Amino acid sequence: MTIRELGEYSLVAHLCQRLEGAFGIDPQVVVGLNDDAAVVETDGVRLILTVDMQLEDVHFRRRWMPPFDLGWKAIAISLSDVAAMGGRPLAALFGVGLTGDEPVDFVDAIYDGAVALCRQTSTLLLGGDTVRSPSGLLISSVVVGVMDGEPFRRNGAQVGDTLIVTGFPGEAAAGFWLLEQNLEASGSVPDAEGRHITHCVRRFRRPTPPIAAVPVMRQFPVHAAIDISDGLVIDAERMATVSKVQIVLSLPQLPLSEPLRSAASFVGKEAMGLALTGGEDYELLLAVPASAVAELCAALTTLQIPAHPIGMVEGWQAGLPVVGVSADGSREPLRGGFQHF
Amino acid sequence: MTIRELGEYSLVAHLCQRLEGAFGIDPQVVVGLNDDAAVVETDGVRLILTVDMQLEDVHFRRRWMPPFDLGWKAIAISLSDVAAMGGRPLAALFGVGLTGDEPVDFVDAIYDGAVALCRQTSTLLLGGDTVRSPSGLLISSVVVGVMDGEPFRRNGAQVGDTLIVTGFPGEAAAGFWLLEQNLEASGSVPDAEGRHITHCVRRFRRPTPPIAAVPVMRQFPVHAAIDISDGLVIDAERMATVSKVQIVLSLPQLPLSEPLRSAASFVGKEAMGLALTGGEDYELLLAVPASAVAELCAALTTLQIPAHPIGMVEGWQAGLPVVGVSADGSREPLRGGFQHF
């Protein structure tokens, strides 16, 4: 069986199982595999570690991804994992593959983008590796952080919890389609639609992982957290599966922003579809007790981190990890999101 | 100016300078850029961080690099940086790019190789990222370690120091050429030459970074250390440049092993040339006071880590960071080694 036949979801589960078998239970490992990032304890300090790769023509195209945004986004992707686990970023490393034909300015701009987000999040950028990559650009980003309390896990969602999402899922995916369809220039028109296009493109190119949300989240009983980089539904499915619950998304409650609706119609997609399965949001999905919802959403919104309740946690139903409930109360299974294989 | 015109050496120096400019001096950063790995302090713990990338058809070919060895070597490369800095490895992460056509066994073997070396060096393998890479295999390896004392730096070599090299530089490069010239099968002949071929191929495919040397090195006044992954001369040049000294390699003292000599003649290369500029050794070059040499070499050899004095540190001479001295006392400038651009 090939990797493509197995599929990404099963491949990751398979590799996790093998690695757990190889290492057994090590007391230093607080969180091993099967979560957004690993947490390991040494000399009384809990470290959080994550690595991510971005490849040209898989994750981005050179023609529409400026080098500054490439560097910014690579760091953002790793910081998003740190935020989802409840960590505080400490340092980042950066492996860059270049064809060699790029102007030096181009590489400087990649680093400038990474530096800009690192400075904004008090993360030290400590260099990395530079290699020749004849088949295109690639960036490997590593972030190491410190865990100041218990990690937020994917597997703690409890029946009766409310689901909260940060940001406006779908905007980044709308931005991707605007770029892919060469419609980005329409954003230069200074009307409302132009501003919406610019906004969504920016959400795709320069995600802002909610690192600042972590200290606030720590003041509330957050039962589970995951970042929704691959899409709301597929990441909700990951949370549901390991928590052994069903996640019920209330479709009328999904925050479909005005920029998303506007950009979605421009690229000929449904705003709801982009929000559910578009991916690239680098926002958080949280499961919290219903009693904490209003106060947590208000506290996050005060930090300029939009947060909305979007569903409930119900009892496990085999084969139905995520369902959507419409305004009329009808339920349908939800599926889909980004998978590499 | 393009990256290729600038060259790798200058690119790295340029990026280091820009990053230092961007972050200034941060008291948490014990070692920033311009060394084998970064060292950062948090909560009283000094962490060492390193990332490396291996790309198909740049660093290896699929036809001659078994997946087990690919996983092993990716971890080895990062561990080598940790050893060169004097660190103790704690945990590794692994980003793997796959075309998707690989059998699942193939990926399992990559992980098995990584697990094997991780177990041997008490490093926890905590997973990572898996992405689709249409243009070929790639592996990004991250190792995080702990620094139990002062880091070994590249920049501390002092006039009068003796240079020590571990292992037998050149063997790995001979192994590379055997593979690249399809001569590996000659190693199946059970005569002396066959055994030498097998040995060199193995040195290339499964380097064994001298992690065990670190506690021994800590008992001696090691002034400077660097790993010689890109080649003895180019890495000696890096040490000489940042230490502001001249490194004089005594060519008759270079340990040209029997396997190296045998394999070199088989691939039509000079053993001395492979030892000086072949690269891929993942061994250490150390600068130590002359008084410590005999005892340090003996202590390392006891650990099955061959170690030989190969030269001296002299005063800085502009434009001549590394020179070789022959048996007749004549001196010549030495240059060369692997550069990506």
Side-chain angles (χ1 to χ4, degrees), chain A residues 227-247:
Chain A
D227 85 330
I228 53 167
S229 51
D230 290 336
L232 181 55
V233 169
I234 199 169
D235 288 315
E237 184 178 329
R238 291 184 172 119
M239 181 186 281
T241 303
V242 293
S243 297
K244 295 204 168 33
V245 297
Q246 182 181 56
I247 284 179

Side-chain angles (χ1 to χ4, degrees), chain A residues 60-72:
Chain A
F60 64 88
R61 296 195 198 282
R62 199 184 286 233
R63 71 173 164 85
W64 54 241
M65 193 70 174
F68 184 97
D69 295 346
L70 198 55
W72 174 289

